[in-house]
Amino acid sequence: MGKKGGNRNKTKEGYEKPRGEAGRAAINDADLPDTASDAASEITHLTLDDDITSVIGDDNLDVEDEDEFGDSPRDRLEEFLDNATHKNPAIRTAAVKNIQVLLTKHYLYETLDKWKSSVIELIEKNIKKSDTEAMLLSTLAALLSVQMGTEIENDLNQVLATMRQLCADPSQSENVRSNCALALGICVYLSSEQPTQIADTLQVLNNVWTAVKVNSTSSNLFNAAIASWSLLADRSSNIRVVVNDYSKIVNYLDAASVDTRVSAGESLGCLYELAFSNLDSEYVFPNHDFILQKLTDLATDSVKYRAKKDRRIQRFTFRQIFEFLRSGETPSVTIKFGSEVLELESFQEKLLYDMCCKFLHGGMNSHLKHNELIRDLFDLGEVVEEINAGAKLSKQQRMIQHKDISRTRNMRRAKQRDKRSTAHAF
């Protein structure tokens, strides 16, 4: 996809690490766990286990090598879409699952450009039919956004409204609400630039996570809603109002669930990052010392009744958050895929990567290599074309192949520039 405002997550020009003496001496390094040993065990709390190899740099995970759809996955999309409109729910859901697998494993922008209206119509008609279809189709909406970006902005309005309704409805199952909350974050972040859509989604997500009780033993809904809310926070038209919600988040640092505590901490890191990037390079929370002490306690927690893995995750995560709030030292994660390397150097980038992993699972490596929208978000530059050595293409064939790829890309970008020019004219 063409560059649209650059990477929203990169640090702005003139950035300085936050300063201020509040809480600088609140903790001694000797009181904290060894970062290196913890990092070796847990790279990041939210990264899915089935995609962890992309985080630690194992290039052997390439789902395209095990494609059950044969050599022409694009040819199967029409067949699956036909089955997805069947009257039999079992046939419909099986077809939607197959479409999800296709979009997870392959970047199919050109093919989807022909069928996007059909996919969106499918989501609109069936998302309310059952819990199973609500979860499958909200996930499908997220995958469509990962593939198409703002190309589906106007077409997605009704889908977003329905997902907000499902997410906000307490009578719906927690799984449905959680899935819709996650999908809303990705869909609005990648596919919508309408201020009303962003504001409405932020409000719904805020209402959802603030309604979860601190002593709740179930963390899925809170984690999903606050992750999406944090991702969309830097798109808010009023950053100061969003940042002021930090006090609500601090309450969840005492939550019963370790996942809730960690999600709240990472959200706090995102808000602090947002504050000194947009409000003041010397920004500190009004009760900064109190927050630093809370983070200290969580980073050194050794309560025996907690599982060893939970304690390790919590200590590692909150040490990073503490160092960031104290000195501006942001966490850094290196991800190797193929011959390339992705560096995540902010809480927002880590959050975006983790949320993409939730929907792409083992296909994240493939999308980092081929998906122009994903590469644009993470500033990876142009797609690195890989020629299959086993095919033994001649020099002339390789030149023709590269010309075809470049022509397709240039046509797509020209189309996007024309759309943006038309929009700006109004």
Side-chain angles (χ1 to χ4, degrees):
M1 306 290 287
K3 293 277 183 184
K4 189 148 186 168
N7 187 346
R8 299 186 183 105
N9 302 309
K10 289 295 179 183
T11 307
K12 300 183 179 181
E13 284 189 41
Y15 154 74
E16 296 178 9
K17 289 182 179 179
R19 295 186 292 275
E21 297 303 318
R24 284 181 182 270
I27 191 168
N28 296 319
D29 288 343
D31 296 330
L32 291 170
D34 179 70
T35 304
S37 61
D38 276 352
S41 303
E42 291 293 334
I43 300 300
T44 174
H45 148 258
L46 288 176
T47 302
L48 297 181
D49 289 341
D50 58 355
D51 201 64
I52 195 68
T53 48
S54 71
V55 178
I56 62 177
D58 187 340
D59 297 329
N60 294 324
L61 180 64
D62 190 347
V63 291
E64 291 184 325
D65 294 337
E66 301 180 63
D67 184 9
E68 65 268 39
F69 298 124
D71 297 329
S72 302
R74 294 162 180 80
D75 297 336
R76 303 298 303 275
L77 182 59
E78 182 177 0
E79 173 190 341
F80 295 147
L81 281 172
D82 284 341
N83 288 337
T85 61
H86 201 279
K87 292 182 179 181
N88 187 322
I91 295 175
R92 283 203 309 270
T93 56
V96 172
K97 288 178 182 178
N98 282 329
I99 296 172
Q100 286 183 8
V101 173
L102 276 178
L103 301 188
T104 298
K105 292 187 174 186
H106 301 280
Y107 179 49
L108 302 174
Y109 178 92
E110 287 84 359
T111 305
L112 278 173
D113 196 33
K114 302 174 184 176
W115 295 103
K116 61 186 179 184
S117 296
S118 299
V119 176
I120 292 171
E121 182 181 357
L122 167 68
I123 298 170
E124 289 178 353
K125 288 179 64 175
N126 297 317
I127 194 169
K128 286 187 173 183
K129 287 189 174 179
S130 68
D131 284 5
T132 298
E133 290 189 270
M135 294 176 65
L136 285 173
L137 292 169
S138 57
T139 296
L140 181 58
L143 290 171
L144 189 62
S145 287
V146 169
Q147 298 264 351
M148 303 294 295
T150 54
E151 286 291 311
I152 57 173
E153 180 173 20
N154 295 327
D155 301 317
L156 209 58
N157 288 337
Q158 184 56 49
V159 171
L160 293 177
T162 302
M163 287 199 295
R164 282 195 294 267
Q165 180 184 348
L166 291 171
C167 181
D169 186 357
S171 67
Q172 297 291 331
S173 72
E174 183 179 9
N175 287 337
V176 167
R177 298 180 71 194
S178 301
N179 217 72
C180 285
L182 279 175
L184 277 168
I186 287 292
C187 288
V188 176
Y189 189 83
L190 298 182
S191 298
S192 182
E193 294 185 341
Q194 301 172 22
T196 53
Q197 288 283 13
I198 296 168
D200 290 349
T201 304
L202 276 168
Q203 187 59 59
V204 165
L205 292 169
N206 184 281
N207 292 343
V208 170
W209 68 258
T210 55
V212 176
K213 295 183 178 179
V214 174
N215 60 357
S216 173
T217 55
S218 178
S219 61
N220 289 342
L221 183 57
F222 176 85
N223 294 348
I226 201 167
S228 288
W229 179 82
S230 301
L231 184 68
L232 294 176
D234 73 338
R235 309 280 305 281
S236 171
S237 59
N238 195 332
I239 297 295
R240 192 173 297 277
V241 169
V242 173
V243 170
N244 283 341
D245 275 333
Y246 80 91
S247 58
K248 300 176 185 176
I249 296 173
V250 171
N251 293 331
Y252 289 93
L253 296 179
D254 293 320
S257 165
V258 65
D259 285 335
T260 299
R261 294 195 297 275
V262 170
S263 292
E266 292 182 335
S267 178
L268 198 63
C270 287
L271 285 196
Y272 195 57
E273 201 169 65
L274 192 62
F276 70 71
S277 295
N278 293 272
L279 302 180
D280 187 347
S281 61
E282 297 187 9
Y283 181 87
V284 292
F285 290 123
N287 55 345
H288 208 70
D289 290 341
F290 171 76
I291 293 175
L292 286 175
Q293 186 57 54
K294 292 288 294 183
L295 296 176
T296 301
D297 295 342
L298 290 163
T300 58
D301 182 13
S302 59
V303 177
K304 297 302 182 183
Y305 66 78
R306 301 196 201 283
K308 184 176 180 180
K309 181 180 178 182
D310 287 350
R311 293 200 306 269
R312 187 171 65 243
I313 292 171
Q314 178 174 296
R315 290 197 303 264
F316 174 66
T317 303
F318 283 104
R319 176 167 182 150
Q320 287 187 321
I321 298 167
F322 171 83
E323 289 299 335
F324 178 50
L325 265 66
R326 181 180 68 167
S327 62
E329 182 181 337
T330 56
S332 179
V333 177
T334 299
I335 298 160
K336 296 179 181 179
F337 58 100
S339 59
E340 299 180 83
V341 175
L342 168 63
E343 297 281 351
L344 303 179
E345 298 179 332
S346 73
F347 281 96
Q348 276 291 111
E349 282 190 325
K350 264 191 76 197
L351 177 59
L352 176 60
Y353 178 85
D354 289 335
M355 289 188 66
C356 286
C357 284
K358 285 180 181 294
F359 290 105
L360 294 173
H361 303 290
M364 188 65 185
N365 277 3
S366 177
H367 281 266
L368 285 171
K369 291 177 184 177
H370 307 298
N371 186 322
E372 294 182 9
L373 172 61
I374 295 296
R375 293 183 67 85
D376 186 36
L377 287 170
F378 293 112
D379 279 350
L380 289 169
E382 297 287 336
V383 173
V384 177
E385 306 298 348
E386 297 177 355
I387 303 298
N388 183 359
K392 296 182 180 179
L393 299 177
S394 67
K395 182 177 180 180
Q396 183 178 7
Q397 287 174 317
R398 289 197 298 270
M399 289 177 64
I400 293 172
Q401 186 181 62
H402 282 299
K403 284 181 179 179
D404 289 342
I405 292 170
S406 298
R407 187 183 303 114
T408 300
R409 183 184 299 118
N410 291 338
M411 289 173 63
R412 182 189 311 155
R413 290 178 175 171
K415 177 181 175 183
Q416 291 165 352
R417 283 194 297 271
D418 290 343
K419 289 182 67 175
R420 287 197 293 271
S421 298
T422 302
H424 289 321
F426 292 95

